[in-house]
Amino acid sequence: MSHRSSAGPADRTRRRRGGEQPMVPRAEFGSYYGKPILNPPVWAAADVGGYLFFGGLAGTSAVIAAGARLTGRPRLARLCAAGAAGAGGLSFAALIHDLGRPDRFLNMLRVLKPTSPMSVGTWLLGPFVPLAGVAAASALTGRFRGLGRLAGTGAAVLGPAVSAYTGALIANTAVPAWHDAHRDLPFVFTASSAAAAGGLGLFAPTRESAPARVLAIAGAGCEVLAFERMRHRMGLTAEPYGTGRPGRLVRAGTVLSVAGAVGAVLGRRSRVASAASGAALLAASLCTRLGIFHGGVASAEDPKYTVVPQRERLRRSAGDLP
């Protein structure tokens, strides 16, 4: 604990009016020897970062696949159905690896708790992965088409929630850079998922990829805008997203998003240019998710991001701050 003078606006106002002046300077609390107040997340970036990215990609890809099937775009439907199944499987594998044992996932299915994003997410991902797998197998082999359409529709219904819930999942923690972003993080994740899945759809022939192109461009734009709005609203706790490894990843994600969106517009008549734009958008979404993951870890390791916002909230409630 350290003591430093930090007279606030209310103190200065009292001095000007000749009122009572505090004899002891305000105390500014730090942590014990600067050690973290929170236990930083021990999750591996490959597990949880991959879980965040592949889950978002899988959910929105399932929606594109269902839409492409309904509008007569078979190659786009097959590509996105395969992408939904593959990304869903990788997301599931990353989650199991993080949990350590598969039976821990099964234990989480014993209870459905609507107020817990983890519980809801488990119940979303559990049926989504097999549904997406059946839909992809049917689309790629051409067999059991009725069952494939039914499974694809089920995956598409669950897809938007699968894409967005991970934002609420990490925001529902005490990690400052995640918790203070709880209003905007689901929007960032949803837009990032749209950009990534739209980018995957750009690998399809150009005569079928128009819906994916529109989704990719809109998703990339909304991702950049939503992230900047989130940083503006967060204030101090957004600082880790602009420094060190998180800052580099976020900046790379922004550059790749803009480049991918521009490429998707200018290269719409070329399959090679469209595919390159799609690859850039996929990489952008991955960089953004990893940047958010590492930013959260960095904010938990520095006590400043825990103490200073708490004291500002106390001073604001006392009327010392506007």
Side-chain angles (χ1 to χ4, degrees):
M1 180 175 68
S2 61
H3 295 280
R4 286 177 289 179
S5 177
S6 60
D11 297 333
R12 292 193 291 272
T13 301
R14 280 194 291 271
R15 289 196 194 97
R16 286 197 299 270
R17 294 176 178 175
E20 182 180 355
Q21 298 182 13
M23 301 303 294
V24 178
R26 289 179 176 272
E28 292 187 356
F29 293 89
S31 66
Y32 187 71
Y33 286 108
K35 292 185 177 297
I37 294 176
L38 300 175
N39 289 325
V42 295
W43 301 327
D47 289 341
V48 176
Y51 172 61
L52 301 177
F53 169 69
F54 287 117
L57 174 61
T60 309
S61 293
V63 176
I64 298 177
R69 189 175 59 250
L70 290 174
T71 56
R73 295 178 169 88
R75 299 182 72 173
L76 178 62
R78 285 196 294 272
L79 173 65
C80 290
L90 289 172
S91 176
F92 186 75
L95 176 60
I96 296 298
H97 189 261
D98 178 70
L99 293 174
R101 297 200 308 266
D103 57 323
R104 290 178 176 168
F105 179 83
L106 297 176
N107 288 336
M108 293 165 67
L109 292 173
R110 296 170 61 184
V111 176
L112 172 59
K113 189 177 181 181
T115 56
S116 168
M118 175 58 80
S119 177
V120 174
T122 303
W123 277 93
L124 288 171
L125 195 62
F128 174 84
V129 173
L131 287 172
V134 171
S138 174
L140 294 175
T141 63
R143 305 187 65 180
F144 304 108
R145 292 183 178 179
L147 179 62
R149 283 194 293 272
L150 187 62
T153 302
V157 170
L158 296 174
V162 171
S163 297
Y165 92 91
T166 49
L169 174 67
I170 64 172
N172 193 36
T173 65
V175 175
W178 296 342
H179 180 76
D180 286 2
H182 66 277
R183 291 187 180 88
D184 301 288
L185 210 49
F187 295 101
V188 174
F189 275 32
T190 301
S192 180
S193 300
L200 176 64
L202 292 180
F203 284 84
T206 53
R207 64 180 179 276
E208 293 190 8
S209 62
R213 189 181 312 278
V214 172
L215 186 66
I217 295 169
C222 291
E223 179 185 10
V224 172
L225 293 175
F227 194 91
E228 289 305 312
R229 175 180 170 82
M230 180 182 79
R231 291 178 61 170
H232 177 73
R233 288 171 57 143
M234 290 173 64
L236 177 67
T237 48
E239 196 174 80
Y241 294 138
T243 59
R245 181 193 292 181
R248 292 193 293 273
L249 286 167
V250 169
R251 286 192 292 275
T254 303
V255 170
L256 287 168
S257 289
V258 174
V262 172
V265 174
L266 299 180
R268 61 186 179 277
R269 300 183 188 282
S270 166
R271 188 172 181 182
V272 174
S274 294
S277 302
L281 292 170
L282 285 165
S285 179
L286 178 60
C287 287
T288 300
R289 306 296 180 110
L290 291 177
I292 291 173
F293 173 81
H294 286 294
V297 174
S299 71
E301 291 174 343
D302 190 336
K304 173 178 67 175
Y305 301 116
T306 303
V307 175
V308 174
Q310 286 181 350
R311 295 195 62 79
E312 286 181 350
R313 285 193 289 270
L314 289 172
R315 293 172 65 186
R316 189 172 291 111
S317 63
D320 289 357
L321 289 178

